[in-house]
Amino acid sequence: MSTFYKLIFNHKETYLNLKVGKRYQPLLIILVSSLINGIVTYFTIQSQITLATQQLSEKIDHTLNGLEIMMSVISIIIGSLFPLLTIAANALLFFLFAKFLINYSNYKYIFKFFTYIFPITLAGNVLNYFLKNIIPISGVRWTSLNAVFQTKGPLGLFLNSLDLFQIWTIVLIYYFLVVSIKMPKSSAFSAISVYCALIVLPIFIL
């Protein structure tokens, strides 16, 4: 796992040597991330599942233990799939950027990079899970700028998107594009800008 630690702390030589990293490491990261995210997802929404099934049971005057178990299993499955889907989607997006801007065509390499940095996102989610249980304030992501202002509504969602772990990830993506992909800095900045816009704009649309 040394590649992961060096990469997230922006060791330039690690970016350059990423292609020769051990093949089992990305798979291990995905498996561990899937397990952890599945567990966190389950505990995050378990109380909501229990409450929903209890309310439904009272309305129909019939116990729905089977439904609660099924919904719990589904939540674990969805949570477990989230890392892989996120990595694949981000890799595809930046592959298209690289293809359009500099005619780059190695999707596997970009996928590998996003696999290595996904634990940053996972660490942010796990930390927020524990902090929300310690200081339960609705609508606040504790590793974001909204932890300072604790604002709700569209502004609160926007401030939640300004997450320290997300910003860290974006910086690493920028250096990856410039150092590993050999993308011009202006093109890398444009790709990052579009990526950030795709994250933030849905907040105001929805």
Side-chain angles (χ1 to χ4, degrees), residues 2-193:
S2 60
T3 303
F4 163 67
Y5 292 112
K6 291 179 180 178
L7 188 65
I8 64 173
F9 288 109
N10 194 22
H11 287 228
K12 186 174 181 179
E13 68 277 7
T14 307
Y15 281 90
L16 296 174
N17 296 324
L18 188 60
K19 289 182 179 179
V20 298
K22 296 179 180 178
R23 292 184 177 180
Y24 72 86
Q25 288 185 346
L27 178 59
L28 181 60
I29 290 174
I30 291 175
L31 290 176
V32 173
S33 297
S34 297
L35 176 61
I36 295 174
N37 203 74
I39 294 172
V40 170
T41 301
Y42 168 77
F43 283 111
T44 299
I45 67 174
Q46 180 57 31
S47 59
Q48 300 174 18
I49 292 176
T50 300
L51 179 61
T53 52
Q54 286 179 347
Q55 291 176 343
L56 185 58
S57 295
E58 293 173 357
K59 287 183 179 180
I60 65 175
D61 193 27
H62 182 72
T63 58
L64 297 172
N65 293 331
L67 177 62
E68 182 176 353
I69 293 173
M70 182 182 70
M71 292 177 67
S72 298
V73 171
I74 292 174
S75 71
I76 294 174
I77 293 173
I78 293 175
S80 299
L81 290 175
F82 178 79
L84 179 60
L85 296 176
T86 301
I87 292 167
N90 285 333
L92 177 60
L93 179 61
F94 279 94
F95 169 76
L96 294 176
F97 286 146
K99 186 70 174 177
F100 175 75
L101 294 171
I102 60 172
N103 198 28
Y104 185 84
S105 59
N106 192 343
Y107 173 78
K108 289 184 179 180
Y109 186 41
I110 299 177
F111 182 92
K112 187 176 183 180
F113 166 75
F114 276 96
T115 301
Y116 275 115
I117 66 170
F118 180 80
I120 299 175
T121 300
L122 181 62
N125 292 339
V126 172
L127 181 58
N128 273 281
Y129 169 76
F130 285 110
L131 289 175
K132 282 184 177 181
N133 281 277
I134 297 172
I135 314 173
I137 298 180
S138 177
V140 173
R141 185 169 176 84
W142 287 106
T143 56
S144 72
L145 194 57
N146 203 29
V148 178
F149 298 99
Q150 298 184 14
T151 304
K152 295 183 179 181
L155 179 58
L157 292 173
F158 173 71
L159 293 176
N160 277 333
S161 70
L162 301 178
D163 183 276
L164 294 177
F165 289 85
Q166 184 65 33
I167 293 172
W168 186 7
T169 298
I170 289 172
V171 170
L172 294 179
I173 295 172
Y174 173 80
Y175 279 108
F176 171 74
L177 296 177
V178 173
V179 176
S180 296
I181 301 299
K182 306 300 181 184
M183 186 179 291
K185 292 182 179 180
S186 59
S187 298
F189 181 79
S190 298
I192 291 294
S193 298

